[in-house]
Amino acid sequence: PAQIGGVPRLSDIDFETTNLHALKLPVGPSGAQALLADFLERIDDYAQARDFPAVKGPSYLSTHLRFGTLSIRQLAREAWQRMQGGSRGAEVWLSELVWRDFYHQVLHHHPHVVGHAFKPEYDKIHWEHGKHADQHFAAWCEGRTGYPLVDAAMHQINQSGYMHNRLRMVVASFLTKDLGLDWRRGEAYFATHLNDFDLAANNGGWQWAASTGCDAQPYFRIFNPVSQSEKFDPQGRFIRRYLPQLAALPDKLIHAPWLARPVDLAAAGIELGRDYPRPVVDHNVAREKTLQRYAAVKAARGAFVRLDIAINVAPEIGPTHRQVRLTGMGNWAGRLSQLRAARALLDAGAPEVWDTLTRQFEARLIVTALGTTRGRRIEAAQKLGIGRNTITRKIQDLGLDD
C-alpha cells in the first residue's frame, strides 16, 4: 500500500514481498494471544512433545516474540505460575525462554559474536571451501543432501519460513560437522529465510551447534542424522510430508534409503540418483574429519586457559622472597607483561606463540605463584587443568624441589 500518514512502506525499509498471507499465520497481538491460548492447553506435554517435528509440540510463538507482538514477561509469568503448580512442561518451556534471554545477554556483552566465534580460538578452524564445498552448501540449502530428515527440514524452512527447533540443531550440526562448512554460512541462510529471525537467538543457536559459542555443546558431540531421524520421526511422518517421493518406503527404511535393498527401492518406485539423491557425504568419515579439525583448535584452547590462569592467579598470590631467589624471577612485573603479550598474540591468531614464548615461563610461573609443596602442587594442577605429576616433573627439571 501507499505510504499513509508518514508511515514508511515495508519496501522502504528493505522488507521484501513474501507469501506470509498464503501461510495464514495468525498475526498481530490478537493472533499471538490466540496461539498462546492454544499452547497453554497443551503446555503440560511440552517436555515430551517438543522434540518431535511431526507432533504439535512447540508454542509457535517465536515469530511474535521476534516482532514484539507478544510480551516475553507475560510468557515467563505464565510458565512460572504453571511450574509452581507442578507442570514439568512449563518448567522446560521456561528454560527455553531463559535460553533466548541468555543469547541476548551474550550479544549485548560480547558483540564480537556477530561475525566471529565467541571463543576466539575457534575462528582458526579450517572450514571446507572451494567449488566442492559450494556444491555441498547448495545441496544443504536445497534439501538434497541424501539424508531425509535434513532434507525435509530444509524443505520446511524454504516453503514456510519456519523450522522446528530440534531440526535446527540437526541441520546446523550437519552443515558444520558433516559437511565441514563455516557456521556463518548457515547462520546467514537462516537469517534470510526464517520468519522468526532474531540476531541473538540465531547467532547463539548456530554457535551452540558449531561448538564455538558460549556454553556450547562440546565439539565431539556430532549429531548422527540417521539416528536423530529414527528417534524423533520414527514413523517418518515428517519426512513423508516434505519428501513425498519417499512416502512408499517402509518406516524402517525411510531414514536411510541408501541402505535399502534394491527390491525394496523398486517396490517403492524409487531409484536413487533419480528420484532421491545418494548421501553427499559418509557420516562416519565426516565425523572423523571433524574430530581432527576441532582437535587442532583444542590444543590452542589449552594455551588460552593456562595463560589466563597464569595472568590472573599469579599477581594475586605473588612470589615469596625464597621463590624469587630460587626461580630467578626478580622481574615479576616484566614476566607478567610478557605473558599478557603472549595472550594478545594468541588473540591475534598466533597459537604457535605458546611454544615459542610461554612454555619457557610456565614451570617457573607455577613454582613462583603456587609454591612447591605437595598441597600447592595439587592446587596448581587443579587451577591449570594438568596433572600434578606434570608439575612435579617441571619442578624437578628445574632443580627447585623442596
Side-chain angles (χ1 to χ4, degrees):
Q3 186 169 337
I4 302 174
V7 177
R9 294 166 298 198
L10 289 177
S11 59
D12 294 333
I13 52 177
D14 296 329
F15 279 85
E16 298 178 358
T17 302
T18 70
N19 65 337
L20 285 177
H21 290 295
L23 297 175
K24 298 180 180 179
L25 298 175
V27 297
S30 59
Q33 292 300 324
L35 285 174
L36 176 59
D38 175 76
F39 175 63
L40 292 179
E41 293 181 359
R42 48 190 175 81
I43 191 173
D44 291 342
D45 299 323
Y46 178 77
Q48 294 78 31
R50 67 187 183 120
D51 280 321
F52 297 87
V55 175
K56 189 178 180 181
S59 68
Y60 305 109
L61 294 170
S62 55
T63 302
H64 287 281
L65 284 173
R66 182 260 183 267
F67 284 100
T69 50
L70 187 62
S71 168
I72 185 65
R73 291 176 175 82
Q74 178 188 4
L75 302 189
R77 183 170 58 252
E78 293 280 5
W80 173 259
Q81 291 173 348
R82 283 167 172 73
M83 185 181 76
Q84 296 305 302
S87 172
R88 172 60 179 162
E91 179 182 357
V92 174
W93 189 52
L94 180 60
S95 73
E96 293 299 312
L97 297 178
V98 171
W99 266 108
R100 179 182 179 276
D101 186 76
F102 171 70
Y103 285 142
H104 278 272
Q105 295 292 330
V106 171
L107 177 61
H108 174 77
H109 293 287
H110 305 277
H112 73 274
V113 297
V114 179
H116 297 281
F118 175 83
K119 306 170 186 175
E121 63 273 23
Y122 281 81
D123 277 334
K124 313 308 172 191
I125 292 178
H126 295 293
W127 302 107
E128 300 292 334
H129 63 280
K131 182 178 180 181
H132 191 57
D134 290 343
Q135 291 172 342
H136 277 176
F137 182 63
W140 179 84
C141 294
E142 297 165 13
R144 48 182 180 82
T145 68
Y147 287 87
L149 188 65
V150 174
D151 293 342
M154 296 308 296
H155 281 291
Q156 183 182 44
I157 189 175
N158 291 336
Q159 294 175 26
S160 69
Y162 169 80
M163 185 186 290
H164 188 279
N165 187 60
R166 165 59 56 175
L167 302 182
R168 297 188 195 202
M169 294 187 286
V170 171
V171 302
S173 178
F174 189 85
L175 182 82
T176 56
K177 296 180 178 179
D178 279 80
L179 301 182
L181 299 180
D182 193 328
W183 59 270
R184 283 161 283 219
R185 300 184 74 168
E187 180 196 22
Y189 191 83
F190 271 26
T192 302
H193 289 77
L194 284 174
N195 296 330
D196 65 4
F197 166 67
D198 176 287
L199 176 58
N202 191 48
N203 179 275
W206 273 96
Q207 294 222 41
W208 180 90
S211 303
T212 63
C214 181
D215 199 27
Q217 67 170 345
Y219 74 90
F220 49 81
R221 184 186 181 193
I222 302 171
F223 283 7
N224 183 317
V226 176
S227 60
Q228 288 283 307
S229 183
E230 293 170 338
K231 183 176 182 180
F232 296 113
D233 191 29
Q235 297 175 327
R237 290 168 53 197
F238 180 82
I239 291 173
R240 288 186 173 90
R241 176 177 178 181
Y242 288 98
L243 299 175
Q245 66 269 42
L246 300 181
L249 279 174
D251 294 350
K252 287 187 176 181
L253 301 178
I254 199 169
H255 309 286
W258 66 92
L259 298 179
R261 298 176 304 171
V263 65
D264 293 318
L265 291 172
I270 298 171
E271 180 182 330
L272 292 180
R274 182 195 68 185
D275 304 299
Y276 186 70
R278 297 180 182 277
V280 293
V281 292
D282 181 305
H283 172 71
N284 292 327
V285 173
R287 185 179 187 279
E288 292 305 314
K289 290 180 66 176
T290 289
L291 292 176
Q292 295 172 14
R293 178 178 290 115
Y294 279 80
V297 178
K298 182 182 178 183
R301 176 67 177 165
F304 274 89
V305 172
R306 289 192 294 274
L307 270 172
D308 283 340
I309 292 172
I311 291 169
N312 293 321
V313 172
E316 296 177 4
I317 300 176
T320 65
H321 175 74
R322 178 173 178 274
Q323 289 166 343
V324 170
R325 177 173 57 79
L326 281 172
T327 60
M329 291 182 68
N331 185 9
W332 185 247
R335 294 293 189 186
L336 289 178
S337 176
Q338 287 175 306
L339 285 169
R340 292 190 178 99
R343 182 60 160 89
L345 286 172
L346 279 170
D347 280 335
E352 67 277 2
V353 78
W354 177 251
D355 292 320
T356 60
L357 177 60
T358 311
R359 284 197 181 279
Q360 61 181 301
F361 306 131
E362 186 183 39
R364 292 173 183 264
L365 183 72
I366 293 169
V367 176
T368 303
L370 299 171
T372 60
T373 65
R374 181 177 181 277
R376 284 298 207 181
R377 291 175 194 175
I378 295 174
E379 182 182 355
Q382 292 173 341
K383 288 182 179 296
L384 292 163
I386 60 180
R388 180 168 61 86
N389 290 338
T390 300
I391 294 178
T392 298
R393 285 195 299 271
K394 290 177 181 292
I395 292 171
Q396 291 172 344
D397 290 345
L398 288 170
L400 301 175
D401 215 344
D402 283 340

